[in-house]
Amino acid sequence: MTLLAVERIKLFSTRSPWWCMALAVTLTVGMAALIAANTNDEFPLSVGVSQSFSNFGMIVIMVMAALAVTTEYRFGTIRATFLAVPGRVQALIAKTVVVAVLAGVIGEVVAFGSWGISTLIKPNADMAINSSVEWRNVAGTGLVFALSAVLAVAVGTLVRQTAGAVAILLVYALLVESLIGLIPKIGVNIQEWMPFMHANNFLTADSAALPEGAGPPRLDFPFGPWGSLAYFAAISVGLLVVALAVAKKRDA
Amino acid sequence: MIEAIGLTKRYGTTVAVDDLSFTIAPGRVTGFLGPNGAGKSTTMRMILGLDRPTSGKALIDGKSYAQLDRPLRTVGALLDAKWVHPNRSAKAHLQWLAKSNGLPDRRVGEVLDMVGLTAVAKRRAGGFSLGMSQRLGIAGALLGDPQVLLFDEPVNGLDPEGILWIRQFMQSLAAEGRTVLVSSHLLSEMAVTAQDLVVIGKGKIISQGSTTEFIEKATENSVLVRSPHLSKLGPLLVDKGYTVRNDDDGALTVVGATSDQIGDIAGANGVVLHELSPQRGSLEQAFMQLTGDSVEYHAEIGK
Amino acid sequence: MDQVTLLAVERIKLFSTRSPWWCMALAMVITIGMAAVIAANTDERFPLSVPVSQGFTNFGMVVIMVMAALAVTTEYRFGTIRSTFLAAPDRVRPLLAKTTVVALLSALVGEVIAFGSWGIGRLIKPDADMALNSAAEWRNVAGTGLVFAFAAVLAVAVGILVRQTAAAVAILLVYTMLLENLIGIIPTIGPKIQRWLIGRNSDHFLTAGNESFISEGGGADQPFGPWGSLAYYAAVCVGFLVVALVVAKRRDA
């Protein structure tokens, strides 16, 4: 418990998390407002449409999570941390938990904020969250944000350099997973096992809300939405376990 | 008490620390002396559990660092004053450290007072001068009121006032019965700060003992003699078994004799002396002589 | 110092650190390697063609943008930018020299990637129609160097403006890989905005008239033709550089 408090103090006493959180919330919710304002009969507003910008928030939160570790390495405070808490695994797990919980909260704020502002702008649209698909689409965002943060902390711990960690995370999540689909035949089969594709499947499976061509290609996933979430969680946590083992072994 | 037992660290084929064994006693300031690159920082990092020894171990009061419960209450360390997030305030930096070891929040105010940073406690640490950063680092080391303190090159880059402050501070900590280990590459600084010295070069122990002993042993005692009758005096001194060197400006340097002995010999033989002055080799020269072969990077002077 | 000396200085600076080598190697190996994987998996239904062989070049471009941004932000991080400005106090010329060196190198990497991807495709599927026999196909392959070069100019500009590695890399990557696509989600006006975004225009320059199963080669509703799109893209990138140079000249180093 003390370690969680320690990591909370550390995270909130620097500026970059505040910037990242503010950017993630305002830009995502702002874009949701812009989208809602431009919906019409041809492109009607729905719960799914209101959530279509949440990927942006997730990426910013991943940057925040990676920075929470890499700045400690950059400024040497990781050594101060390991002097105060020689059990490195505990210290890093506490950090991961704090960052993941915060990411989860931001995810919910982004999701319900986007939904709320859309409802305000188009009060007549069908924005009721009345199916499990819609609940998953909105309330599930926090879970996806939290697990992406775990993944980002793991990459940050392994790479230790800000530029490297941020570039790897963003290029992988935003580019590699979709470019893989260009490989004829097998590309799609590979994509069906890629973590962020599964995160997206968890949020959007069975929701036919996106306009044609705007969403990711529909893949034939091996799991249902909750299975996809479990798979995404397993990969994130697996990577974290590897990162913790490495951090424990190597010189600080 | 700090003990190193066969401490060794290899990076690939380079041996940074080579089978170091020493004991640092409480109640004294112990200087950890060696040229840059001798392995001082690596040794300190191994004592503190940051780096993993290739072999051997380091113990603090009989335990390895990782075995200490709430380690800041036992050991305080200042390895690098810049190990602070630049956008975090001095106070917040100390607060998370205190929290991590279950120390009361008021302790933060106390140590800030001790190092004289109370007025700037809420300013971001990135804006601190080197002297202020150093004080913040010391505040962090003192947070848990530890019995064992380690400082790595604490006076590097400080102004004379800062150097004096840190020196007196370390001495007062030792006077309270604490174990204080302070590393430096300057013998002159250690000569006035430390009672004991552990001297290393290229990762190996060169000498271990009290500072005065080290200086006695290390510095060459000689006597400069001027006289109009040097040609008579010189052979007399050589006959007594002393080493005599002819200096360029017509003086003799005698090694191995005291000025009393030389004066007696001169008087007994009717030699007039114009000067008879004991010379003390400089500390830096002595240090260079001892560690000369073990400096990692040599600069060729005057070529 | 004359401009030739400044270029030599920047070349030495760039090549004496490790990250540019890593970025270049990564950009070339992964992009060409993926082109090989794509080519090996083509068949009658998904036939290999010149545009298909170029399908992964965006990856290379993004890595090169990271390299270009790092070339500036690491100078700020390690304080060497001050040494640079001490050696050449007017600031604009050394920064221009840096931009030129980085852009030329990026162009070179772009050409290596484009022709490497094309060449490896030909090797793997010798029977595929991989001849470069139309202006559109030449543009698709040889034009890659131009696109890489201006992407590097933009990245250098953002690096100068932001000065921090993490922020510069995040801004560049999030913008090029995410925002440009997400904007399209806004109903009605989204696609209209997208037509004016730089990535759309550089893509249009490369892919116009190059239909394949991986891209429509469309861009019928783009405001300009392929070369007009390139000019527009270049103008925006250079515009950012001008702003960055003015800012760098005025603020404290």
Side-chain angles (χ1 to χ4, degrees):
Chain A
M1 258 355 248
T2 356
L3 289 181
L4 293 179
V6 169
E7 293 299 331
R8 199 197 63 229
I9 298 175
K10 279 207 281 190
L11 194 66
F12 287 129
S13 56
T14 60
R15 285 184 305 188
S16 67
W18 294 105
W19 277 105
C20 290
M21 287 189 285
L23 191 70
V25 173
T26 52
L27 212 70
T28 312
V29 176
M31 287 306 293
L34 198 57
I35 291 171
N38 282 283
T39 50
N40 50 32
D41 296 340
E42 199 191 341
F43 302 105
L45 181 61
S46 67
V47 174
V49 167
S50 76
Q51 300 299 309
S52 47
F53 229 78
S54 69
N55 256 353
F56 175 82
M58 184 188 79
I59 290 296
V60 176
I61 291 303
M62 283 170 72
V63 172
M64 176 195 85
L67 282 175
V69 194
T70 56
T71 53
E72 286 233 38
Y73 277 99
R74 154 134 191 226
F75 297 119
T77 50
I78 195 76
R79 296 183 197 107
T81 303
F82 290 160
L83 284 181
V85 188
R88 298 182 186 184
V89 170
Q90 293 158 274
L92 288 171
I93 286 182
K95 180 186 289 298
T96 312
V97 169
V98 168
V99 172
V101 167
L102 186 67
V105 171
I106 299 291
E108 297 302 334
V109 171
V110 163
F112 282 97
S114 299
W115 171 80
I117 205 159
S118 304
T119 315
L120 273 179
I121 290 173
K122 289 279 159 84
N124 297 324
D126 173 20
M127 288 293 281
I129 305 180
N130 46 20
S131 72
S132 66
V133 174
E134 284 165 340
W135 271 110
R136 186 156 37 76
N137 199 346
V138 180
T141 308
L143 289 172
V144 169
F145 274 42
L147 290 170
S148 340
V150 171
L151 185 91
V153 168
V155 171
T157 308
L158 286 169
V159 178
R160 288 186 282 185
Q161 289 201 324
T162 302
V166 169
I168 287 171
L169 285 167
L170 299 195
V171 170
Y172 177 78
L174 296 177
L175 195 62
V176 172
E177 284 210 353
S178 52
L179 278 186
I180 288 290
L182 295 184
I183 307 172
K185 299 174 294 188
I186 60 164
V188 185
N189 297 339
I190 300 172
Q191 275 183 328
E192 282 159 14
W193 292 96
M194 298 192 99
F196 288 97
M197 292 286 165
H198 278 275
N200 200 59
N201 184 46
F202 166 67
L203 289 175
T204 61
D206 309 317
S207 136
L210 290 181
E212 198 61 34
R218 292 288 163 195
L219 296 169
D220 191 13
F221 283 103
F223 312 116
W226 289 95
S228 279
L229 181 75
Y231 179 74
F232 183 53
I235 288 195
S236 300
V237 173
L239 205 56
L240 181 68
V241 170
V242 172
L244 292 177
V246 169
K248 196 175 164 67
K249 269 196 86 171
R250 83 186 154 200
D251 291 341
Chain B
M1 189 168 84
I2 305 171
E3 282 171 278
I5 304 155
L7 213 49
T8 303
K9 179 76 182 177
R10 274 193 207 90
Y11 298 102
T13 53
T14 327
V15 184
V17 174
D18 192 358
D19 196 23
L20 282 193
S21 297
F22 55 77
T23 306
I24 312 295
R28 310 170 69 87
V29 175
T30 305
F32 191 28
L33 188 65
N36 288 326
K40 301 186 297 291
S41 297
T42 310
T43 305
M44 290 185 128
R45 293 158 58 92
M46 287 192 288
I47 293 172
L48 294 165
L50 289 175
D51 287 7
R52 192 176 284 266
T54 312
S55 63
K57 57 183 172 176
L59 301 177
I60 293 158
D61 292 343
K63 288 180 182 171
S64 76
Y65 192 87
Q67 290 170 324
L68 297 172
D69 181 39
R70 300 183 171 180
L72 300 187
R73 292 167 181 249
T74 312
V75 185
L78 168 63
L79 291 196
D80 186 333
K82 288 286 165 201
W83 287 355
V84 177
H85 194 295
N87 286 335
R88 197 175 276 142
S89 71
K91 195 170 171 213
H93 174 71
L94 295 172
Q95 269 170 337
W96 76 256
L97 278 174
K99 191 97 188 164
S100 69
N101 275 246
L103 300 162
D105 222 26
R106 64 172 159 76
R107 194 58 199 152
V108 170
E110 286 172 17
V111 292
L112 281 168
D113 265 346
M114 286 167 86
V115 299
L117 286 180
T118 308
V120 293
K122 290 197 172 153
R123 271 178 37 195
R124 45 186 290 274
F128 280 13
S129 69
L130 184 58
M132 287 157 83
S133 299
Q134 215 80 348
R135 282 167 191 258
L136 178 58
I138 289 174
L142 295 174
L143 209 51
D145 196 18
Q147 279 302 309
V148 177
L149 288 137
L150 288 90
F151 301 95
D152 193 8
E153 301 272 2
V155 300
N156 250 8
L158 290 190
D159 55 16
E161 193 198 337
I163 293 176
L164 189 64
W165 180 80
I166 288 201
R167 189 187 297 158
Q168 290 172 345
F169 204 83
M170 290 188 297
Q171 284 166 341
S172 68
L173 289 168
E176 291 164 13
R178 299 177 213 261
T179 308
V180 181
L181 179 64
V182 50
S183 82
S184 175
H185 62 280
L186 298 171
L187 177 57
S188 52
E189 172 57 31
M190 285 300 97
V192 289
T193 309
Q195 288 119 315
D196 286 342
L197 283 181
V198 173
V199 186
I200 67 168
K202 270 196 180 166
K204 289 197 173 76
I205 291 260
I206 290 176
S207 142
Q208 196 173 352
S210 85
T211 308
T212 37
E213 254 172 54
F214 177 78
I215 292 168
E216 289 292 333
K217 203 168 61 186
T219 51
E220 175 192 74
N221 289 315
S222 61
V223 181
L224 182 77
V225 184
R226 275 181 208 285
S227 161
H229 307 117
L230 282 181
S231 53
K232 187 177 171 191
L233 181 62
L236 287 170
L237 292 168
V238 174
D239 286 349
K240 291 277 179 190
Y242 305 134
T243 308
V244 178
R245 284 200 301 263
N246 277 300
D247 292 358
D248 297 342
D249 57 347
L252 286 182
T253 301
V254 185
V255 182
T258 65
S259 51
D260 295 3
Q261 290 166 327
I262 297 169
D264 290 348
I265 292 168
N269 293 281
V271 173
V272 176
L273 293 181
H274 289 172
E275 185 181 351
L276 184 64
S277 51
Q279 309 284 307
R280 170 143 243 172
S282 83
L283 289 174
E284 302 312 330
Q285 271 172 352
F287 186 39
M288 283 297 292
Q289 266 166 14
L290 270 171
T291 61
D293 294 334
S294 55
V295 174
E296 205 179 4
Y297 305 102
H298 279 287
E300 299 287 336
I301 303 163
K303 270 202 174 170
Chain C
M1 265 190 281
D2 61 295
Q3 204 66 26
V4 177
T5 317
L6 285 174
L7 287 174
V9 167
E10 292 300 331
R11 198 198 67 229
I12 296 169
K13 278 204 285 193
L14 193 65
F15 288 130
S16 55
T17 57
R18 283 185 310 180
S19 67
W21 294 106
W22 276 105
C23 290
M24 285 190 289
L26 191 72
M28 292 193 272
V29 172
I30 304 262
T31 312
I32 298 175
M34 288 308 294
V37 174
I38 291 174
N41 283 284
T42 51
D43 54 17
E44 292 93 44
R45 194 154 55 100
F46 301 108
L48 181 61
S49 64
V50 173
V52 170
S53 76
Q54 304 296 308
F56 233 78
T57 49
N58 262 350
F59 176 84
M61 187 188 79
V62 167
V63 176
I64 290 303
M65 286 172 84
V66 172
M67 177 195 83
L70 283 176
V72 194
T73 56
T74 52
E75 286 230 32
Y76 278 100
R77 151 130 194 229
F78 298 115
T80 49
I81 195 77
R82 299 190 193 101
S83 317
T84 303
F85 289 163
L86 286 177
D90 79 35
R91 298 191 188 182
V92 169
R93 290 195 317 142
L95 288 173
L96 270 180
K98 181 186 289 297
T99 314
T100 310
V101 169
V102 172
L104 285 177
L105 185 67
S106 304
L108 186 68
V109 173
E111 296 301 335
V112 171
I113 283 177
F115 282 97
S117 300
W118 171 77
I120 207 159
R122 265 177 68 119
L123 271 179
I124 290 173
K125 289 280 157 91
D127 298 332
D129 173 21
M130 289 288 279
L132 295 174
N133 47 20
S134 73
E137 283 166 341
W138 272 106
R139 188 157 31 75
N140 196 347
V141 180
T144 306
L146 287 170
V147 170
F148 273 44
F150 286 111
V153 170
L154 179 74
V156 167
V158 171
I160 295 172
L161 286 170
V162 178
R163 289 185 281 186
Q164 290 202 325
T165 302
V169 169
I171 289 171
L172 286 166
L173 299 192
V174 169
Y175 175 78
T176 46
M177 300 187 302
L178 188 64
L179 277 183
E180 285 217 351
N181 295 326
L182 280 185
I183 293 286
I185 293 175
I186 308 171
T188 343
I189 61 163
K192 286 184 193 148
I193 300 172
Q194 261 180 338
R195 296 169 33 177
W196 295 96
L197 299 178
I198 49 174
R200 271 308 148 105
N201 282 280
S202 63
D203 267 352
H204 185 230
F205 166 68
L206 289 175
T207 60
N210 287 301
E211 289 76 16
S212 74
F213 69 88
I214 59 164
S215 96
E216 292 139 25
D221 46 354
Q222 283 300 119
F224 311 113
W227 289 96
S229 285
L230 179 74
Y232 172 77
Y233 169 65
V236 174
C237 295
V238 173
F240 264 99
L241 181 67
V242 170
V243 172
L245 291 176
V246 170
V247 169
K249 199 171 167 67
R250 294 177 64 161
R251 86 187 151 199
D252 292 340

